PDB file of all heavy atoms in Angstrom:
ATOM      1  N   VAL Q  16       0.823  -1.224   0.000  1.00 97.00           N
ATOM      2  CA  VAL Q  16       0.000   0.000   0.001  1.00 97.00           C
ATOM      3  C   VAL Q  16       0.851   1.265   0.000  1.00 97.00           C
ATOM      4  O   VAL Q  16       0.321   2.364   0.114  1.00 97.00           O
ATOM      5  CB  VAL Q  16      -1.035   0.023   1.152  1.00 97.00           C
ATOM      6  CG1 VAL Q  16      -2.006  -1.130   1.031  1.00 97.00           C
ATOM      7  CG2 VAL Q  16      -0.377   0.068   2.513  1.00 97.00           C
ATOM      8  N   GLY Q  17       2.177   1.115  -0.111  1.00 97.00           N
ATOM      9  CA  GLY Q  17       3.050   2.264  -0.291  1.00 97.00           C
ATOM     10  C   GLY Q  17       3.745   2.791   0.941  1.00 97.00           C
ATOM     11  O   GLY Q  17       4.358   3.859   0.905  1.00 97.00           O
ATOM     12  N   LEU Q  18       3.685   2.043   2.036  1.00 97.00           N
ATOM     13  CA  LEU Q  18       4.366   2.499   3.251  1.00 97.00           C
ATOM     14  C   LEU Q  18       5.877   2.357   3.124  1.00 97.00           C
ATOM     15  O   LEU Q  18       6.370   1.462   2.428  1.00 97.00           O
ATOM     16  CB  LEU Q  18       3.900   1.695   4.472  1.00 97.00           C
ATOM     17  CG  LEU Q  18       2.463   1.902   4.928  1.00 97.00           C
ATOM     18  CD1 LEU Q  18       2.150   0.961   6.086  1.00 97.00           C
ATOM     19  CD2 LEU Q  18       2.224   3.334   5.339  1.00 97.00           C
ATOM     20  N   LYS Q  19       6.589   3.235   3.794  1.00 97.00           N
ATOM     21  CA  LYS Q  19       8.033   3.049   3.943  1.00 97.00           C
ATOM     22  C   LYS Q  19       8.237   1.803   4.796  1.00 97.00           C
ATOM     23  O   LYS Q  19       7.368   1.418   5.586  1.00 97.00           O
ATOM     24  CB  LYS Q  19       8.649   4.266   4.640  1.00 97.00           C
ATOM     25  CG  LYS Q  19       8.531   5.542   3.825  1.00 97.00           C
ATOM     26  CD  LYS Q  19       9.063   6.727   4.607  1.00 97.00           C
ATOM     27  CE  LYS Q  19       8.878   8.014   3.833  1.00 97.00           C
ATOM     28  NZ  LYS Q  19       9.282   9.192   4.618  1.00 97.00           N
ATOM     29  N   ARG Q  20       9.378   1.154   4.644  1.00 97.00           N
ATOM     30  CA  ARG Q  20       9.637  -0.089   5.383  1.00 97.00           C
ATOM     31  C   ARG Q  20       9.448   0.088   6.885  1.00 97.00           C
ATOM     32  O   ARG Q  20       8.791  -0.709   7.546  1.00 97.00           O
ATOM     33  CB  ARG Q  20      11.056  -0.585   5.106  1.00 97.00           C
ATOM     34  CG  ARG Q  20      11.266  -1.120   3.731  1.00 97.00           C
ATOM     35  CD  ARG Q  20      12.718  -1.573   3.537  1.00 97.00           C
ATOM     36  NE  ARG Q  20      12.996  -1.674   2.126  1.00 97.00           N
ATOM     37  CZ  ARG Q  20      13.569  -0.719   1.422  1.00 97.00           C
ATOM     38  NH1 ARG Q  20      13.974   0.404   1.986  1.00 97.00           N
ATOM     39  NH2 ARG Q  20      13.765  -0.893   0.136  1.00 97.00           N
ATOM     40  N   GLU Q  21      10.054   1.125   7.428  1.00 97.00           N
ATOM     41  CA  GLU Q  21       9.980   1.351   8.873  1.00 97.00           C
ATOM     42  C   GLU Q  21       8.543   1.643   9.298  1.00 97.00           C
ATOM     43  O   GLU Q  21       8.092   1.172  10.341  1.00 97.00           O
ATOM     44  CB  GLU Q  21      10.913   2.512   9.252  1.00 97.00           C
ATOM     45  CG  GLU Q  21      11.080   2.708  10.732  1.00 97.00           C
ATOM     46  CD  GLU Q  21      10.348   3.929  11.247  1.00 97.00           C
ATOM     47  OE1 GLU Q  21       9.957   4.789  10.431  1.00 97.00           O
ATOM     48  OE2 GLU Q  21      10.158   4.015  12.464  1.00 97.00           O
ATOM     49  N   ALA Q  22       7.802   2.362   8.483  1.00 97.00           N
ATOM     50  CA  ALA Q  22       6.405   2.669   8.808  1.00 97.00           C
ATOM     51  C   ALA Q  22       5.552   1.401   8.763  1.00 97.00           C
ATOM     52  O   ALA Q  22       4.675   1.206   9.608  1.00 97.00           O
ATOM     53  CB  ALA Q  22       5.852   3.714   7.844  1.00 97.00           C
ATOM     54  N   ALA Q  23       5.814   0.539   7.787  1.00 97.00           N
ATOM     55  CA  ALA Q  23       5.084  -0.726   7.693  1.00 97.00           C
ATOM     56  C   ALA Q  23       5.338  -1.585   8.929  1.00 97.00           C
ATOM     57  O   ALA Q  23       4.415  -2.175   9.498  1.00 97.00           O
ATOM     58  CB  ALA Q  23       5.482  -1.479   6.426  1.00 97.00           C
ATOM     59  N   ALA Q  24       6.588  -1.647   9.358  1.00 97.00           N
ATOM     60  CA  ALA Q  24       6.923  -2.430  10.554  1.00 97.00           C
ATOM     61  C   ALA Q  24       6.319  -1.797  11.807  1.00 97.00           C
ATOM     62  O   ALA Q  24       5.767  -2.502  12.657  1.00 97.00           O
ATOM     63  CB  ALA Q  24       8.438  -2.549  10.691  1.00 97.00           C
ATOM     64  N   ARG Q  25       6.399  -0.489  11.924  1.00 97.00           N
ATOM     65  CA  ARG Q  25       5.836   0.201  13.093  1.00 97.00           C
ATOM     66  C   ARG Q  25       4.328  -0.049  13.186  1.00 97.00           C
ATOM     67  O   ARG Q  25       3.802  -0.390  14.236  1.00 97.00           O
ATOM     68  CB  ARG Q  25       6.136   1.693  13.023  1.00 97.00           C
ATOM     69  CG  ARG Q  25       5.694   2.468  14.238  1.00 97.00           C
ATOM     70  CD  ARG Q  25       6.125   3.923  14.183  1.00 97.00           C
ATOM     71  NE  ARG Q  25       7.571   4.090  14.099  1.00 97.00           N
ATOM     72  CZ  ARG Q  25       8.399   4.028  15.139  1.00 97.00           C
ATOM     73  NH1 ARG Q  25       7.937   3.792  16.342  1.00 97.00           N
ATOM     74  NH2 ARG Q  25       9.689   4.203  14.971  1.00 97.00           N
ATOM     75  N   PHE Q  26       3.617   0.096  12.064  1.00 97.00           N
ATOM     76  CA  PHE Q  26       2.174  -0.135  12.066  1.00 97.00           C
ATOM     77  C   PHE Q  26       1.865  -1.595  12.379  1.00 97.00           C
ATOM     78  O   PHE Q  26       0.921  -1.902  13.101  1.00 97.00           O
ATOM     79  CB  PHE Q  26       1.559   0.274  10.733  1.00 97.00           C
ATOM     80  CG  PHE Q  26       0.058   0.274  10.742  1.00 97.00           C
ATOM     81  CD1 PHE Q  26      -0.635   1.239  11.446  1.00 97.00           C
ATOM     82  CD2 PHE Q  26      -0.651  -0.699  10.066  1.00 97.00           C
ATOM     83  CE1 PHE Q  26      -2.029   1.245  11.466  1.00 97.00           C
ATOM     84  CE2 PHE Q  26      -2.038  -0.707  10.082  1.00 97.00           C
ATOM     85  CZ  PHE Q  26      -2.733   0.267  10.785  1.00 97.00           C
ATOM     86  N   SER Q  27       2.675  -2.499  11.850  1.00 96.00           N
ATOM     87  CA  SER Q  27       2.491  -3.923  12.133  1.00 96.00           C
ATOM     88  C   SER Q  27       2.591  -4.208  13.626  1.00 96.00           C
ATOM     89  O   SER Q  27       1.772  -4.945  14.186  1.00 96.00           O
ATOM     90  CB  SER Q  27       3.551  -4.741  11.377  1.00 96.00           C
ATOM     91  OG  SER Q  27       3.507  -6.088  11.770  1.00 96.00           O
ATOM     92  N   PHE Q  28       3.579  -3.611  14.272  1.00 95.00           N
ATOM     93  CA  PHE Q  28       3.737  -3.842  15.708  1.00 95.00           C
ATOM     94  C   PHE Q  28       2.632  -3.165  16.499  1.00 95.00           C
ATOM     95  O   PHE Q  28       2.160  -3.709  17.501  1.00 95.00           O
ATOM     96  CB  PHE Q  28       5.120  -3.405  16.173  1.00 95.00           C
ATOM     97  CG  PHE Q  28       6.210  -4.273  15.606  1.00 95.00           C
ATOM     98  CD1 PHE Q  28       7.265  -3.716  14.906  1.00 95.00           C
ATOM     99  CD2 PHE Q  28       6.173  -5.652  15.742  1.00 95.00           C
ATOM    100  CE1 PHE Q  28       8.261  -4.518  14.363  1.00 95.00           C
ATOM    101  CE2 PHE Q  28       7.156  -6.462  15.207  1.00 95.00           C
ATOM    102  CZ  PHE Q  28       8.201  -5.893  14.515  1.00 95.00           C
ATOM    103  N   LEU Q  29       2.193  -1.994  16.079  1.00 94.00           N
ATOM    104  CA  LEU Q  29       1.061  -1.340  16.743  1.00 94.00           C
ATOM    105  C   LEU Q  29      -0.201  -2.186  16.603  1.00 94.00           C
ATOM    106  O   LEU Q  29      -0.998  -2.306  17.541  1.00 94.00           O
ATOM    107  CB  LEU Q  29       0.829   0.057  16.170  1.00 94.00           C
ATOM    108  CG  LEU Q  29       1.881   1.099  16.508  1.00 94.00           C
ATOM    109  CD1 LEU Q  29       1.632   2.390  15.718  1.00 94.00           C
ATOM    110  CD2 LEU Q  29       1.905   1.392  18.003  1.00 94.00           C
ATOM    111  N   LEU Q  30      -0.380  -2.788  15.438  1.00 93.00           N
ATOM    112  CA  LEU Q  30      -1.528  -3.641  15.180  1.00 93.00           C
ATOM    113  C   LEU Q  30      -1.521  -4.892  16.059  1.00 93.00           C
ATOM    114  O   LEU Q  30      -2.570  -5.439  16.377  1.00 93.00           O
ATOM    115  CB  LEU Q  30      -1.535  -4.027  13.699  1.00 93.00           C
ATOM    116  CG  LEU Q  30      -2.770  -4.650  13.108  1.00 93.00           C
ATOM    117  CD1 LEU Q  30      -3.957  -3.720  13.238  1.00 93.00           C
ATOM    118  CD2 LEU Q  30      -2.528  -4.978  11.642  1.00 93.00           C
ATOM    119  N   SER Q  31      -0.341  -5.311  16.483  1.00 92.00           N
ATOM    120  CA  SER Q  31      -0.242  -6.522  17.303  1.00 92.00           C
ATOM    121  C   SER Q  31      -0.620  -6.295  18.759  1.00 92.00           C
ATOM    122  O   SER Q  31      -0.960  -7.248  19.464  1.00 92.00           O
ATOM    123  CB  SER Q  31       1.179  -7.079  17.242  1.00 92.00           C
ATOM    124  OG  SER Q  31       2.067  -6.291  18.018  1.00 92.00           O
ATOM    125  N   VAL Q  32      -0.583  -5.059  19.225  1.00 92.00           N
ATOM    126  CA  VAL Q  32      -0.793  -4.782  20.649  1.00 92.00           C
ATOM    127  C   VAL Q  32      -2.121  -5.334  21.165  1.00 92.00           C
ATOM    128  O   VAL Q  32      -2.136  -6.060  22.170  1.00 92.00           O
ATOM    129  CB  VAL Q  32      -0.629  -3.272  20.955  1.00 92.00           C
ATOM    130  CG1 VAL Q  32      -1.063  -2.944  22.375  1.00 92.00           C
ATOM    131  CG2 VAL Q  32       0.815  -2.851  20.729  1.00 92.00           C
ATOM    132  N   PRO Q  33      -3.263  -5.044  20.532  1.00 91.00           N
ATOM    133  CA  PRO Q  33      -4.518  -5.588  21.068  1.00 91.00           C
ATOM    134  C   PRO Q  33      -4.542  -7.119  21.099  1.00 91.00           C
ATOM    135  O   PRO Q  33      -4.994  -7.720  22.084  1.00 91.00           O
ATOM    136  CB  PRO Q  33      -5.594  -5.052  20.120  1.00 91.00           C
ATOM    137  CG  PRO Q  33      -4.971  -3.891  19.434  1.00 91.00           C
ATOM    138  CD  PRO Q  33      -3.499  -4.167  19.385  1.00 91.00           C
ATOM    139  N   ALA Q  34      -4.053  -7.751  20.043  1.00 86.00           N
ATOM    140  CA  ALA Q  34      -4.067  -9.214  19.980  1.00 86.00           C
ATOM    141  C   ALA Q  34      -3.163  -9.822  21.049  1.00 86.00           C
ATOM    142  O   ALA Q  34      -3.534 -10.795  21.716  1.00 86.00           O
ATOM    143  CB  ALA Q  34      -3.644  -9.683  18.594  1.00 86.00           C
ATOM    144  N   VAL Q  35      -1.983  -9.253  21.226  1.00 88.00           N
ATOM    145  CA  VAL Q  35      -1.044  -9.778  22.221  1.00 88.00           C
ATOM    146  C   VAL Q  35      -1.584  -9.566  23.636  1.00 88.00           C
ATOM    147  O   VAL Q  35      -1.520 -10.480  24.469  1.00 88.00           O
ATOM    148  CB  VAL Q  35       0.346  -9.132  22.041  1.00 88.00           C
ATOM    149  CG1 VAL Q  35       1.265  -9.474  23.192  1.00 88.00           C
ATOM    150  CG2 VAL Q  35       0.964  -9.569  20.717  1.00 88.00           C
ATOM    151  N   LEU Q  36      -2.123  -8.389  23.899  1.00 91.00           N
ATOM    152  CA  LEU Q  36      -2.678  -8.133  25.227  1.00 91.00           C
ATOM    153  C   LEU Q  36      -3.861  -9.050  25.525  1.00 91.00           C
ATOM    154  O   LEU Q  36      -3.958  -9.616  26.615  1.00 91.00           O
ATOM    155  CB  LEU Q  36      -3.094  -6.670  25.369  1.00 91.00           C
ATOM    156  CG  LEU Q  36      -1.971  -5.670  25.548  1.00 91.00           C
ATOM    157  CD1 LEU Q  36      -2.525  -4.244  25.591  1.00 91.00           C
ATOM    158  CD2 LEU Q  36      -1.176  -5.950  26.812  1.00 91.00           C
ATOM    159  N   ALA Q  37      -4.758  -9.211  24.558  1.00 94.00           N
ATOM    160  CA  ALA Q  37      -5.916 -10.076  24.767  1.00 94.00           C
ATOM    161  C   ALA Q  37      -5.501 -11.529  24.956  1.00 94.00           C
ATOM    162  O   ALA Q  37      -6.009 -12.223  25.847  1.00 94.00           O
ATOM    163  CB  ALA Q  37      -6.887  -9.941  23.595  1.00 94.00           C
ATOM    164  N   SER Q  38      -4.568 -11.977  24.146  1.00 91.00           N
ATOM    165  CA  SER Q  38      -4.081 -13.343  24.260  1.00 91.00           C
ATOM    166  C   SER Q  38      -3.401 -13.579  25.615  1.00 91.00           C
ATOM    167  O   SER Q  38      -3.639 -14.590  26.278  1.00 91.00           O
ATOM    168  CB  SER Q  38      -3.099 -13.637  23.126  1.00 91.00           C
ATOM    169  OG  SER Q  38      -2.481 -14.870  23.312  1.00 91.00           O
ATOM    170  N   GLY Q  39      -2.561 -12.623  26.004  1.00 90.00           N
ATOM    171  CA  GLY Q  39      -1.887 -12.736  27.304  1.00 90.00           C
ATOM    172  C   GLY Q  39      -2.864 -12.718  28.463  1.00 90.00           C
ATOM    173  O   GLY Q  39      -2.722 -13.488  29.424  1.00 90.00           O
ATOM    174  N   ALA Q  40      -3.877 -11.867  28.396  1.00 93.00           N
ATOM    175  CA  ALA Q  40      -4.883 -11.796  29.463  1.00 93.00           C
ATOM    176  C   ALA Q  40      -5.657 -13.106  29.556  1.00 93.00           C
ATOM    177  O   ALA Q  40      -5.911 -13.610  30.656  1.00 93.00           O
ATOM    178  CB  ALA Q  40      -5.824 -10.630  29.220  1.00 93.00           C
ATOM    179  N   LEU Q  41      -6.023 -13.676  28.402  1.00 95.00           N
ATOM    180  CA  LEU Q  41      -6.735 -14.950  28.406  1.00 95.00           C
ATOM    181  C   LEU Q  41      -5.865 -16.063  28.980  1.00 95.00           C
ATOM    182  O   LEU Q  41      -6.327 -16.865  29.804  1.00 95.00           O
ATOM    183  CB  LEU Q  41      -7.189 -15.301  26.989  1.00 95.00           C
ATOM    184  CG  LEU Q  41      -7.910 -16.654  26.846  1.00 95.00           C
ATOM    185  CD1 LEU Q  41      -9.191 -16.678  27.674  1.00 95.00           C
ATOM    186  CD2 LEU Q  41      -8.193 -16.951  25.382  1.00 95.00           C
ATOM    187  N   GLN Q  42      -4.603 -16.114  28.561  1.00 91.00           N
ATOM    188  CA  GLN Q  42      -3.691 -17.139  29.078  1.00 91.00           C
ATOM    189  C   GLN Q  42      -3.514 -17.005  30.588  1.00 91.00           C
ATOM    190  O   GLN Q  42      -3.504 -18.004  31.315  1.00 91.00           O
ATOM    191  CB  GLN Q  42      -2.329 -17.036  28.381  1.00 91.00           C
ATOM    192  CG  GLN Q  42      -2.339 -17.448  26.935  1.00 91.00           C
ATOM    193  CD  GLN Q  42      -2.509 -18.948  26.774  1.00 91.00           C
ATOM    194  OE1 GLN Q  42      -1.930 -19.727  27.529  1.00 91.00           O
ATOM    195  NE2 GLN Q  42      -3.303 -19.350  25.815  1.00 91.00           N
ATOM    196  N   LEU Q  43      -3.381 -15.772  31.065  1.00 89.00           N
ATOM    197  CA  LEU Q  43      -3.239 -15.545  32.507  1.00 89.00           C
ATOM    198  C   LEU Q  43      -4.494 -15.986  33.244  1.00 89.00           C
ATOM    199  O   LEU Q  43      -4.415 -16.670  34.270  1.00 89.00           O
ATOM    200  CB  LEU Q  43      -2.939 -14.070  32.789  1.00 89.00           C
ATOM    201  CG  LEU Q  43      -2.800 -13.697  34.268  1.00 89.00           C
ATOM    202  CD1 LEU Q  43      -1.635 -14.457  34.912  1.00 89.00           C
ATOM    203  CD2 LEU Q  43      -2.615 -12.196  34.419  1.00 89.00           C
ATOM    204  N   TYR Q  44      -5.641 -15.619  32.708  1.00 92.00           N
ATOM    205  CA  TYR Q  44      -6.907 -16.007  33.346  1.00 92.00           C
ATOM    206  C   TYR Q  44      -7.029 -17.527  33.444  1.00 92.00           C
ATOM    207  O   TYR Q  44      -7.414 -18.061  34.478  1.00 92.00           O
ATOM    208  CB  TYR Q  44      -8.087 -15.417  32.561  1.00 92.00           C
ATOM    209  CG  TYR Q  44      -9.421 -15.879  33.064  1.00 92.00           C
ATOM    210  CD1 TYR Q  44      -9.962 -15.363  34.236  1.00 92.00           C
ATOM    211  CD2 TYR Q  44     -10.144 -16.852  32.373  1.00 92.00           C
ATOM    212  CE1 TYR Q  44     -11.191 -15.800  34.709  1.00 92.00           C
ATOM    213  CE2 TYR Q  44     -11.369 -17.293  32.835  1.00 92.00           C
ATOM    214  CZ  TYR Q  44     -11.890 -16.760  33.997  1.00 92.00           C
ATOM    215  OH  TYR Q  44     -13.100 -17.203  34.472  1.00 92.00           O
ATOM    216  N   GLU Q  45      -6.693 -18.215  32.369  1.00 93.00           N
ATOM    217  CA  GLU Q  45      -6.784 -19.681  32.357  1.00 93.00           C
ATOM    218  C   GLU Q  45      -5.749 -20.325  33.268  1.00 93.00           C
ATOM    219  O   GLU Q  45      -5.954 -21.424  33.779  1.00 93.00           O
ATOM    220  CB  GLU Q  45      -6.640 -20.205  30.934  1.00 93.00           C
ATOM    221  CG  GLU Q  45      -7.822 -19.862  30.051  1.00 93.00           C
ATOM    222  CD  GLU Q  45      -7.633 -20.262  28.599  1.00 93.00           C
ATOM    223  OE1 GLU Q  45      -6.489 -20.608  28.210  1.00 93.00           O
ATOM    224  OE2 GLU Q  45      -8.623 -20.232  27.852  1.00 93.00           O
ATOM    225  N   ALA Q  46      -4.617 -19.672  33.475  1.00 90.00           N
ATOM    226  CA  ALA Q  46      -3.538 -20.235  34.291  1.00 90.00           C
ATOM    227  C   ALA Q  46      -3.698 -19.914  35.773  1.00 90.00           C
ATOM    228  O   ALA Q  46      -3.038 -20.538  36.608  1.00 90.00           O
ATOM    229  CB  ALA Q  46      -2.193 -19.723  33.800  1.00 90.00           C
ATOM    230  N   LEU Q  47      -4.540 -18.950  36.125  1.00 89.00           N
ATOM    231  CA  LEU Q  47      -4.650 -18.519  37.525  1.00 89.00           C
ATOM    232  C   LEU Q  47      -4.939 -19.660  38.486  1.00 89.00           C
ATOM    233  O   LEU Q  47      -4.430 -19.666  39.613  1.00 89.00           O
ATOM    234  CB  LEU Q  47      -5.723 -17.428  37.667  1.00 89.00           C
ATOM    235  CG  LEU Q  47      -5.285 -16.033  37.251  1.00 89.00           C
ATOM    236  CD1 LEU Q  47      -6.450 -15.066  37.348  1.00 89.00           C
ATOM    237  CD2 LEU Q  47      -4.107 -15.550  38.076  1.00 89.00           C
ATOM    238  N   LYS Q  48      -5.725 -20.630  38.073  1.00 89.00           N
ATOM    239  CA  LYS Q  48      -6.069 -21.743  38.962  1.00 89.00           C
ATOM    240  C   LYS Q  48      -4.871 -22.653  39.253  1.00 89.00           C
ATOM    241  O   LYS Q  48      -4.899 -23.435  40.190  1.00 89.00           O
ATOM    242  CB  LYS Q  48      -7.246 -22.538  38.416  1.00 89.00           C
ATOM    243  CG  LYS Q  48      -7.070 -23.064  37.034  1.00 89.00           C
ATOM    244  CD  LYS Q  48      -8.354 -23.690  36.522  1.00 89.00           C
ATOM    245  CE  LYS Q  48      -8.278 -23.796  35.018  1.00 89.00           C
ATOM    246  NZ  LYS Q  48      -9.542 -23.717  34.386  1.00 89.00           N
ATOM    247  N   PHE Q  49      -3.806 -22.539  38.464  1.00 90.00           N
ATOM    248  CA  PHE Q  49      -2.619 -23.377  38.639  1.00 90.00           C
ATOM    249  C   PHE Q  49      -1.445 -22.628  39.256  1.00 90.00           C
ATOM    250  O   PHE Q  49      -0.407 -23.219  39.530  1.00 90.00           O
ATOM    251  CB  PHE Q  49      -2.171 -23.956  37.290  1.00 90.00           C
ATOM    252  CG  PHE Q  49      -3.243 -24.712  36.578  1.00 90.00           C
ATOM    253  CD1 PHE Q  49      -3.848 -24.182  35.446  1.00 90.00           C
ATOM    254  CD2 PHE Q  49      -3.675 -25.948  37.041  1.00 90.00           C
ATOM    255  CE1 PHE Q  49      -4.851 -24.869  34.784  1.00 90.00           C
ATOM    256  CE2 PHE Q  49      -4.676 -26.647  36.392  1.00 90.00           C
ATOM    257  CZ  PHE Q  49      -5.266 -26.102  35.258  1.00 90.00           C
ATOM    258  N   ILE Q  50      -1.598 -21.339  39.460  1.00 89.00           N
ATOM    259  CA  ILE Q  50      -0.489 -20.495  39.914  1.00 89.00           C
ATOM    260  C   ILE Q  50      -0.577 -20.259  41.416  1.00 89.00           C
ATOM    261  O   ILE Q  50      -1.603 -19.831  41.926  1.00 89.00           O
ATOM    262  CB  ILE Q  50      -0.496 -19.138  39.173  1.00 89.00           C
ATOM    263  CG1 ILE Q  50      -0.306 -19.362  37.677  1.00 89.00           C
ATOM    264  CG2 ILE Q  50       0.569 -18.211  39.721  1.00 89.00           C
ATOM    265  CD1 ILE Q  50      -0.478 -18.105  36.854  1.00 89.00           C
ATOM    266  N   ASP Q  51       0.547 -20.536  42.098  1.00 88.00           N
ATOM    267  CA  ASP Q  51       0.616 -20.168  43.514  1.00 88.00           C
ATOM    268  C   ASP Q  51       1.476 -18.904  43.630  1.00 88.00           C
ATOM    269  O   ASP Q  51       1.953 -18.357  42.640  1.00 88.00           O
ATOM    270  CB  ASP Q  51       1.159 -21.315  44.372  1.00 88.00           C
ATOM    271  CG  ASP Q  51       2.568 -21.733  43.995  1.00 88.00           C
ATOM    272  OD1 ASP Q  51       3.275 -20.957  43.330  1.00 88.00           O
ATOM    273  OD2 ASP Q  51       2.974 -22.848  44.372  1.00 88.00           O
ATOM    274  N   GLN Q  52       1.690 -18.439  44.856  1.00 85.00           N
ATOM    275  CA  GLN Q  52       2.372 -17.164  45.061  1.00 85.00           C
ATOM    276  C   GLN Q  52       3.810 -17.173  44.521  1.00 85.00           C
ATOM    277  O   GLN Q  52       4.263 -16.199  43.929  1.00 85.00           O
ATOM    278  CB  GLN Q  52       2.376 -16.810  46.544  1.00 85.00           C
ATOM    279  CG  GLN Q  52       2.818 -15.394  46.804  1.00 85.00           C
ATOM    280  CD  GLN Q  52       2.605 -14.998  48.253  1.00 85.00           C
ATOM    281  OE1 GLN Q  52       2.257 -15.822  49.092  1.00 85.00           O
ATOM    282  NE2 GLN Q  52       2.818 -13.735  48.560  1.00 85.00           N
ATOM    283  N   SER Q  53       4.521 -18.279  44.715  1.00 84.00           N
ATOM    284  CA  SER Q  53       5.901 -18.325  44.240  1.00 84.00           C
ATOM    285  C   SER Q  53       5.971 -18.302  42.713  1.00 84.00           C
ATOM    286  O   SER Q  53       6.882 -17.721  42.120  1.00 84.00           O
ATOM    287  CB  SER Q  53       6.617 -19.562  44.777  1.00 84.00           C
ATOM    288  OG  SER Q  53       6.034 -20.739  44.248  1.00 84.00           O
ATOM    289  N   MET Q  54       5.007 -18.921  42.065  1.00 90.00           N
ATOM    290  CA  MET Q  54       4.971 -18.902  40.600  1.00 90.00           C
ATOM    291  C   MET Q  54       4.601 -17.518  40.071  1.00 90.00           C
ATOM    292  O   MET Q  54       5.015 -17.145  38.984  1.00 90.00           O
ATOM    293  CB  MET Q  54       3.986 -19.945  40.087  1.00 90.00           C
ATOM    294  CG  MET Q  54       4.432 -21.381  40.320  1.00 90.00           C
ATOM    295  SD  MET Q  54       3.172 -22.581  39.867  1.00 90.00           S
ATOM    296  CE  MET Q  54       3.117 -22.379  38.110  1.00 90.00           C
ATOM    297  N   ALA Q  55       3.830 -16.771  40.842  1.00 89.00           N
ATOM    298  CA  ALA Q  55       3.424 -15.424  40.408  1.00 89.00           C
ATOM    299  C   ALA Q  55       4.643 -14.530  40.233  1.00 89.00           C
ATOM    300  O   ALA Q  55       4.711 -13.746  39.285  1.00 89.00           O
ATOM    301  CB  ALA Q  55       2.445 -14.825  41.410  1.00 89.00           C
ATOM    302  N   VAL Q  56       5.624 -14.658  41.137  1.00 91.00           N
ATOM    303  CA  VAL Q  56       6.850 -13.863  41.024  1.00 91.00           C
ATOM    304  C   VAL Q  56       7.578 -14.226  39.737  1.00 91.00           C
ATOM    305  O   VAL Q  56       8.051 -13.340  39.011  1.00 91.00           O
ATOM    306  CB  VAL Q  56       7.761 -14.075  42.259  1.00 91.00           C
ATOM    307  CG1 VAL Q  56       9.112 -13.423  42.065  1.00 91.00           C
ATOM    308  CG2 VAL Q  56       7.077 -13.562  43.510  1.00 91.00           C
ATOM    309  N   ASN Q  57       7.654 -15.519  39.426  1.00 91.00           N
ATOM    310  CA  ASN Q  57       8.305 -15.958  38.194  1.00 91.00           C
ATOM    311  C   ASN Q  57       7.593 -15.399  36.963  1.00 91.00           C
ATOM    312  O   ASN Q  57       8.243 -14.979  36.001  1.00 91.00           O
ATOM    313  CB  ASN Q  57       8.343 -17.484  38.111  1.00 91.00           C
ATOM    314  CG  ASN Q  57       9.251 -18.089  39.154  1.00 91.00           C
ATOM    315  OD1 ASN Q  57      10.111 -17.416  39.705  1.00 91.00           O
ATOM    316  ND2 ASN Q  57       9.049 -19.369  39.437  1.00 91.00           N
ATOM    317  N   ILE Q  58       6.275 -15.392  36.989  1.00 90.00           N
ATOM    318  CA  ILE Q  58       5.510 -14.880  35.855  1.00 90.00           C
ATOM    319  C   ILE Q  58       5.733 -13.383  35.688  1.00 90.00           C
ATOM    320  O   ILE Q  58       5.902 -12.892  34.564  1.00 90.00           O
ATOM    321  CB  ILE Q  58       4.008 -15.202  36.014  1.00 90.00           C
ATOM    322  CG1 ILE Q  58       3.796 -16.703  35.830  1.00 90.00           C
ATOM    323  CG2 ILE Q  58       3.159 -14.406  35.032  1.00 90.00           C
ATOM    324  CD1 ILE Q  58       2.397 -17.171  36.108  1.00 90.00           C
ATOM    325  N   ILE Q  59       5.770 -12.658  36.771  1.00 91.00           N
ATOM    326  CA  ILE Q  59       6.005 -11.212  36.706  1.00 91.00           C
ATOM    327  C   ILE Q  59       7.393 -10.924  36.138  1.00 91.00           C
ATOM    328  O   ILE Q  59       7.548 -10.085  35.242  1.00 91.00           O
ATOM    329  CB  ILE Q  59       5.819 -10.562  38.098  1.00 91.00           C
ATOM    330  CG1 ILE Q  59       4.342 -10.614  38.481  1.00 91.00           C
ATOM    331  CG2 ILE Q  59       6.338  -9.123  38.100  1.00 91.00           C
ATOM    332  CD1 ILE Q  59       4.064 -10.265  39.930  1.00 91.00           C
TER     333      ILE Q  59
END
């Protein structure tokens, strides 16, 4: 669509933010039942 290389990459990474955040939130939610306090530090 005519973007400069750096602009195409920047937009690509900006576009990934919602998907990555949603995926990470879902994974965390599903993992909460298996995580104890010591594992929480490792995850952080």
Side-chain angles (χ1 to χ4, degrees):
V16 299
L18 292 176
K19 295 176 183 175
R20 289 179 198 96
E21 189 253 344
R25 185 175 300 279
F26 189 71
S27 172
F28 293 125
L29 290 172
L30 193 60
S31 75
V32 171
V35 170
L36 285 177
S38 172
L41 178 62
Q42 290 289 320
L43 179 61
Y44 174 76
E45 291 175 348
L47 281 176
K48 56 187 162 210
F49 305 108
I50 298 173
D51 61 19
Q52 191 171 8
S53 65
M54 291 174 68
V56 172
N57 292 341
I58 289 174
I59 291 168

